[in-house]
Amino acid sequence: MSFELFVALRYLFARRRQTFISVISVTSILGVALGVASLIVVLGVMNGFTTDLRDKILGANAHGIVMSADRTGLSDAPHLIDKIRQVDGVRGATPFIYSEVMLSTPHGVKGLVLRGIDPQTAPSVLGILSNMTKGGVADLAPRATPEGAPQSPPGVIIGDELAQRLGVVVGSRVNLLSPAGQKTSAGFAPRIRPFIVVGVFSTGMFEYDSSLGFVSLDAARDVLGLPEGAVSGVELAVTNVYKADEVAERVTRAVGGYPLYTRHWMEMNANLFAALKLEKTAMAVILVLIVLVGSFSIITTLVMLVMEKTRDIAILMSMGATKGMIRRIFMLQGTIIGAIGTGLGYALGLGVAELLKRYQFIKLPHGVYSLDHLPVLLQWPDMLAIGASSMLLCFVATIYPARQAASLEPAEALRYE
């Protein structure tokens, strides 16, 4: 053990004449510990919310879409899908039709975001179709009927919030009304087609569960009055969601560029995730102030300790201790206080985060949030940043008291003692 560390530990843990300084030291440690623990818990909850929201968005939507700028749709979708699937980083691709219709039942009418999908390839791109609460995407395929029997209506999959609102279950008959309509001898009339509810999904997000529906491509073309083979675009899934922008650029080059273009999930949800990132940063800055308060207490502790140990400092300097050694003694003492506070903060913060994750004792109101409990996701970069910032603030707090201690003159200090 070095001389400076030995003296710093003696000053920190030895019984003092002035217990008030010890109280301030404990307060400093607790201030740093509470700040670190608060940062760990809050950033863990923010990461949990962001990750949960991202997973739900990517479950109901593809990682990227390829569409045409001339808004006429894609005329040669099968050939285009083959090109997209050959791009490095693409895990799957499927055609889709997107439109807005009205869903009519005996219990009411509701606007519906209608998405026509291919029942065979869509589950490999849209995660929501692989985790249905009732029914399955395979039921969207046309059903075989006995010869001479009337053709059964096509199937539709809706969200559980919409099903509860309109009072429908699997097997219920509903009608879809297209705003495009059709011309008749009596004038313009909406296009109406009957459907059978064959599945119900739940994402946990009210926006999707209350206004989204899936039908087969052929059924979507029929209700919207689109020509055979017409699709709105191609949805794709990538192997690494964080590199969706790079894959999107490669897909754009592969399909030949304009009028075709590619958009990825980070671009389509940029405002939402930018707001979450800003909120996380703001919360981190606010909570760092708690650590800053603890570091100010360290300054008070060291200043008062220098005043108490003036004679000891003078004697050490008379015995040959240099100004640098005196400076390091008090800097080590403040750093030890910061290290103890940071360690206690890690223990407290990680313990609370683990309890929140395991027992979920803080419940959230259903219908307001996409979860019924606080999600916690601890990321090691955040943990390292919290520890580094805490130790840095504590170290900076030691500089002024340590310089004041090193600037004492032994003769002057002993004269007035």
Side-chain angles (χ1 to χ4, degrees):
M1 183 181 297
S2 65
F3 165 73
E4 295 92 335
L5 180 59
F6 174 77
V7 176
L9 293 174
R10 289 281 298 176
Y11 281 174
L12 186 61
F13 296 108
R15 181 176 298 177
R16 298 188 180 122
R17 296 190 303 270
Q18 298 182 11
T19 57
F20 182 65
I21 301 178
S22 300
V23 173
I24 297 178
S25 299
V26 173
T27 304
S28 304
I29 292 174
L30 292 179
V32 174
L34 289 176
V36 171
S38 301
L39 274 170
I40 290 175
V41 175
V42 171
L43 292 186
V45 171
M46 293 294 296
N47 289 333
F49 268 116
T50 302
T51 303
D52 178 75
L53 182 62
R54 184 205 67 197
D55 293 341
K56 284 181 168 57
I57 290 176
L58 293 182
N61 298 278
H63 301 160
I65 58 173
V66 178
M67 300 184 69
S68 177
D70 57 15
R71 304 203 180 270
T72 59
L74 304 180
S75 57
D76 190 11
H79 179 66
L80 186 64
I81 291 174
D82 290 338
K83 286 185 177 180
I84 294 174
R85 286 173 177 167
Q86 295 175 6
V87 175
D88 184 32
V90 174
R91 179 166 52 84
T94 183
F96 75 96
I97 294 175
Y98 181 93
S99 184
E100 296 180 2
V101 299
M102 299 292 292
L103 179 66
S104 173
T105 72
H107 303 282
V109 180
K110 178 72 170 59
L112 185 72
V113 176
L114 186 67
R115 294 175 64 176
I117 59 173
D118 180 4
Q120 295 182 349
T121 59
S124 65
V125 176
L126 302 175
I128 186 177
L129 300 176
S130 302
N131 299 293
M132 303 281 294
T133 57
K134 296 179 182 179
V137 67
D139 296 328
L140 291 179
R143 301 178 182 179
T145 57
E147 186 175 354
Q151 183 72 26
S152 62
V156 60
I157 297 175
I158 60 175
D160 59 349
E161 290 287 345
L162 182 59
Q164 294 177 19
R165 177 174 178 177
L166 297 180
V168 298
V169 295
V170 173
S172 298
R173 185 185 179 100
V174 299
N175 292 320
L176 293 185
L177 293 77
S178 171
Q182 56 187 352
K183 291 182 179 181
T184 65
S185 58
F188 185 83
R191 186 185 297 269
I192 304 175
R193 294 291 185 271
F195 283 81
I196 298 294
V197 177
V198 297
V200 176
F201 65 84
S202 175
T203 64
M205 295 188 67
F206 182 81
E207 293 80 2
Y208 293 140
D209 295 340
S210 63
S211 60
L212 183 61
F214 296 93
V215 298
S216 65
L217 289 173
D218 291 336
R221 295 188 188 104
D222 179 50
V223 72
L224 297 173
L226 299 177
E228 182 68 24
V231 296
S232 300
V234 175
E235 296 178 303
L236 58 96
V238 300
T239 54
N240 188 341
V241 294
Y242 296 107
K243 295 184 178 180
D245 52 345
E246 301 176 7
V247 178
E249 293 180 1
R250 293 197 290 267
V251 169
T252 301
R253 291 193 297 267
V255 299
Y258 188 86
L260 300 180
Y261 65 93
T262 306
R263 301 188 67 189
H264 52 85
W265 70 272
M266 290 182 286
E267 178 186 0
M268 292 184 286
N269 300 281
N271 293 337
L272 174 61
F273 287 100
L276 290 174
K277 184 177 181 180
L278 179 61
E279 185 176 355
K280 176 182 175 181
T281 303
M283 291 297 296
V285 171
I286 293 172
L287 293 174
V288 163
L289 295 179
I290 301 178
V291 182
L292 190 60
V293 171
S295 66
F296 282 157
S297 299
I298 293 176
I299 297 177
T300 305
T301 301
L302 295 182
V303 169
M304 297 188 68
L305 184 63
V306 170
M307 296 172 61
E308 181 189 3
K309 300 296 184 181
T310 300
R311 175 181 293 182
D312 295 357
I313 296 171
I315 293 174
L316 287 173
M317 297 181 72
S318 301
M319 296 175 62
T322 63
K323 292 182 179 294
M325 296 172 68
I326 300 298
R327 188 185 303 113
R328 286 191 292 273
I329 288 173
F330 288 93
M331 293 180 74
L332 280 171
Q333 186 172 357
T335 302
I336 291 171
I337 292 175
I340 295 174
T342 302
L344 289 176
Y346 268 111
L348 179 61
L350 292 175
V352 172
E354 184 62 28
L355 290 175
L356 282 173
K357 186 187 301 184
R358 179 173 299 180
Y359 298 107
Q360 302 175 1
F361 50 84
I362 297 182
K363 300 298 182 181
L364 301 177
H366 179 69
V368 179
Y369 299 95
S370 60
L371 286 171
D372 60 352
H373 63 278
L374 283 180
V376 179
L377 177 63
L378 300 178
Q379 297 179 343
W380 286 112
D382 289 340
M383 300 299 102
L384 294 177
I386 291 171
S389 61
S390 174
M391 291 302 299
L392 178 62
L393 288 175
C394 294
F395 175 78
V396 171
T398 65
I399 295 177
Y400 174 75
R403 291 183 61 182
Q404 291 298 110
S407 64
L408 290 176
E409 294 294 336
E412 296 293 328
L414 292 174
R415 178 183 302 176
Y416 296 104
E417 285 291 333

